[in-house]
Amino acid sequence: MSPAAAAAKPILYSYFRSSCSWRVRIALALKGISYDLVPVNLVKDGGQQFSAEFKALNPMQQVPALKIDGITLSQSLAIIHYLEETRPNPRLLPQDPKKRAQVRMIADHIVSGIQPLQGQNALVHNSQSKKSLVSFSIEFPMPHSTVPPLLTALEQILQHTAGRYCVGNEVSMADLCLAPQVANAERFKVDMGPYPTITRINKALLELEAFKVSHPSRQPDTPAELRA
Amino acid sequence: MSPAAAAAKPILYSYFRSSCSWRVRIALALKGISYDLVPVNLVKDGGQQFSAEFKALNPMQQVPALKIDGITLSQSLAIIHYLEETRPNPRLLPQDPKKRAQVRMIADHIVSGIQPLQGQNALVHNSQSKKSLVSFSIEFPMPHSTVPPLLTALEQILQHTAGRYCVGNEVSMADLCLAPQVANAERFKVDMGPYPTITRINKALLELEAFKVSHPSRQPDTPAELRA
């Protein structure tokens, strides 16, 4: 890597509403890493992530992608792990391996369990286009049938692990996944009544400056009508 | 934790065909960790993972779950990370942070991108039962329409990162995700022709003893007609 690449400001490719993008925005804010943001609209033009230009940058054709230290990373948890290993302060993983495991269990549960069922990332072929972006909520009634059981499991786990935040009293990778997922659930009008621990933690998180500045309602690409 | 708990042999709750379970079985085999296996049949009795007994063990109601060092872990990558941090030899993550990021990108791409679309873990309510296990292949034609684009992305990434294995010449967490996913794709009759790098790496992996002993065709709960 050239010294110029190492010194360059990181560039985050992000969509205001993407929960995966928000996770990384929170990590960058918590660690005080300044960056430039390039919006990638997942809906406009049939999905700007499918453009040849973006595909060259990230073959996974997903946001977020982060150009940093001369490389381009994708997958939110992989990005956050990289930031954690190269910019360890403040830490987003506890020191104790068992607590680290709890953090990762919760994060993975959200990312690979809840998110793909709820997110906007399902690529489905259709007759009009080789690639079209179809929300699962259109395809079949996932959010109301499947997300609650997954949230129920999360609520039970958090009853054992939580302090002020998901695991104890330090903000961790798990919290970076929780707040965006609650925002998604609320957008899909999931009744959060049965999940008091999730709701309490989410409220505490949204009071933190890093969660505020990174919020979907305050991004450069947030449409005027959705701005906070 | 009591000394007895620390010294106890780990117990893996596993289903022979579950790709997530296989990932963990490979990690345990590579690291030479001896364990007892308790089969959890995801299909029989409406899914044994939904039993009260298993739910008490793992509220996520998923395999794999691993009882180890006095705690119970779930989520395959969280389990593998825990093993890596507590039993570091042989390592499943490279030392260089950028290479570690590549490994995690590939693993996360498979786990949160391909696997949930292809796996047997979709919980869908239906009129007969509060919880029923429905393969996405029944629900809508995911494997043939969606998995190939995700494999295409993986193939492109591997062309940049691979040596003998997914990232360079050392077996990593990414490889633990690759082989089970290829097995799933083959089970769904996905044409692997367009993915020569994936196919080559998979072949190299299946030659390793740790991948052989952990293979779905050689588990205590493998039905006789599927045994190798």
Side-chain angles (χ1 to χ4, degrees), chain B residues 89-169:
Chain B
N89 294 313
R91 67 172 182 234
L92 298 176
L93 282 170
Q95 281 186 300
D96 174 55
K98 290 179 186 175
K99 292 219 177 299
R100 293 164 75 89
Q102 289 180 333
V103 167
R104 289 191 175 111
M105 273 170 62
I106 294 167
D108 288 352
H109 176 68
I110 294 173
V111 170
S112 66
I114 300 177
Q115 197 276 330
L117 301 176
Q118 196 174 254
Q120 274 183 297
N121 298 320
L123 285 170
V124 181
H125 278 263
N126 67 17
S127 52
Q128 282 79 49
S129 158
K130 279 284 175 193
K131 283 167 247 147
S132 76
L133 199 71
V134 180
S135 162
F136 274 105
S137 63
I138 297 167
E139 199 61 22
F140 61 108
M142 265 296 178
H144 292 276
S145 58
T146 304
V147 170
L150 296 167
L151 289 174
T152 302
L154 183 59
E155 176 72 20
Q156 286 178 6
I157 293 158
L158 291 174
Q159 283 171 6
H160 288 96
T161 63
R164 180 164 174 80
Y165 304 117
C166 284
V167 178
N169 295 315

Side-chain angles (χ1 to χ4, degrees), chain A residues 150-228:
Chain A
L150 295 168
L151 289 175
T152 302
L154 183 58
E155 175 72 20
Q156 286 178 6
I157 293 157
L158 291 174
Q159 283 171 6
H160 289 96
T161 62
R164 181 165 174 80
Y165 303 116
C166 284
V167 177
N169 294 316
E170 277 181 32
V171 173
S172 73
M173 215 175 270
D175 299 294
L176 275 56
C177 298
L178 187 85
Q181 230 44 52
V182 173
N184 259 5
E186 288 172 345
R187 193 154 69 87
F188 281 111
K189 313 240 183 286
V190 172
D191 173 18
M192 295 301 290
Y195 316 114
T197 313
I198 296 174
T199 303
R200 172 180 64 73
I201 295 168
N202 184 57
K203 190 160 175 279
L205 292 169
L206 294 183
E207 286 169 13
L208 301 174
E209 190 59 21
F211 285 70
K212 285 183 187 169
V213 297
S214 60
H215 195 276
S217 65
R218 290 177 60 179
Q219 296 309 297
D221 55 333
T222 308
E225 67 275 19
L226 296 176
R227 287 199 165 271

Side-chain angles (χ1 to χ4, degrees), chain A residues 20-51:
Chain A
C20 313
S21 298
W22 189 10
R23 289 175 204 143
V24 174
R25 294 196 304 259
I26 301 168
L28 290 163
L30 281 169
K31 289 180 178 289
I33 302 166
S34 108
Y35 62 96
D36 290 324
L37 187 145
V38 175
V40 178
N41 192 311
L42 300 188
V43 179
K44 206 173 149 188
D45 310 328
Q48 295 175 344
Q49 74 278 26
F50 300 127
S51 70

Side-chain angles (χ1 to χ4, degrees), chain A residues 1 55 58-62 68-79 81-82 85-86 93 96-98 100-102 104-106 108-113 115-117 122-125 131 136 139-142 144-146 149-150 152-153 156-157 160, chain B residues 1 55 58-62 68-79 81-82 85-86 93 96-98 100-102 104-106 108-113 115-117 122-125 136 139-142 144-146 149-150 152-154 156-157 160:
Chain A
M1 159 174 63
K55 192 179 171 184
N58 178 15
M60 294 177 191
Q61 298 174 286
Q62 292 169 342
I68 189 167
D69 301 340
I71 54 171
T72 302
L73 299 174
S74 64
Q75 295 293 337
S76 59
L77 290 184
I79 296 172
H81 267 108
Y82 179 78
E85 293 180 349
T86 57
L93 281 170
D96 174 55
K98 291 181 186 175
R100 292 163 78 89
Q102 288 180 333
R104 289 191 175 111
M105 273 169 61
I106 294 167
D108 288 352
H109 176 68
I110 294 173
V111 170
S112 67
Q115 198 275 330
L117 301 176
L123 285 171
V124 182
H125 277 264
K131 282 167 250 148
F136 275 106
E139 199 60 21
F140 61 109
M142 263 299 177
H144 292 275
S145 59
T146 304
L150 295 168
T152 302
Q156 286 178 6
I157 293 157
H160 289 96
Chain B
M1 153 175 70
K55 193 179 171 184
N58 179 15
M60 293 176 192
Q61 299 174 286
Q62 292 170 341
I68 189 168
D69 302 340
I71 53 172
T72 303
L73 298 175
S74 64
Q75 295 294 337
S76 60
L77 290 184
I79 295 173
H81 267 107
Y82 179 79
E85 293 181 349
T86 57
L93 282 170
D96 174 55
K98 290 179 186 175
R100 293 164 75 89
Q102 289 180 333
R104 289 191 175 111
M105 273 170 62
I106 294 167
D108 288 352
H109 176 68
I110 294 173
V111 170
S112 66
Q115 197 276 330
L117 301 176
L123 285 170
V124 181
H125 278 263
F136 274 105
E139 199 61 22
F140 61 108
M142 265 296 178
H144 292 276
S145 58
T146 304
L150 296 167
T152 302
L154 183 59
Q156 286 178 6
I157 293 158
H160 288 96

Side-chain angles (χ1 to χ4, degrees), chain B residues 38-81:
Chain B
V38 174
V40 178
N41 192 311
L42 300 188
V43 179
K44 207 174 148 188
D45 311 327
Q48 295 175 343
Q49 75 277 26
F50 299 128
S51 70
E53 189 189 347
F54 190 74
K55 193 179 171 184
L57 184 86
N58 179 15
M60 293 176 192
Q61 299 174 286
Q62 292 170 341
V63 292
L66 183 68
K67 264 195 188 172
I68 189 168
D69 302 340
I71 53 172
T72 303
L73 298 175
S74 64
Q75 295 294 337
S76 60
L77 290 184
I79 295 173
I80 295 167
H81 267 107

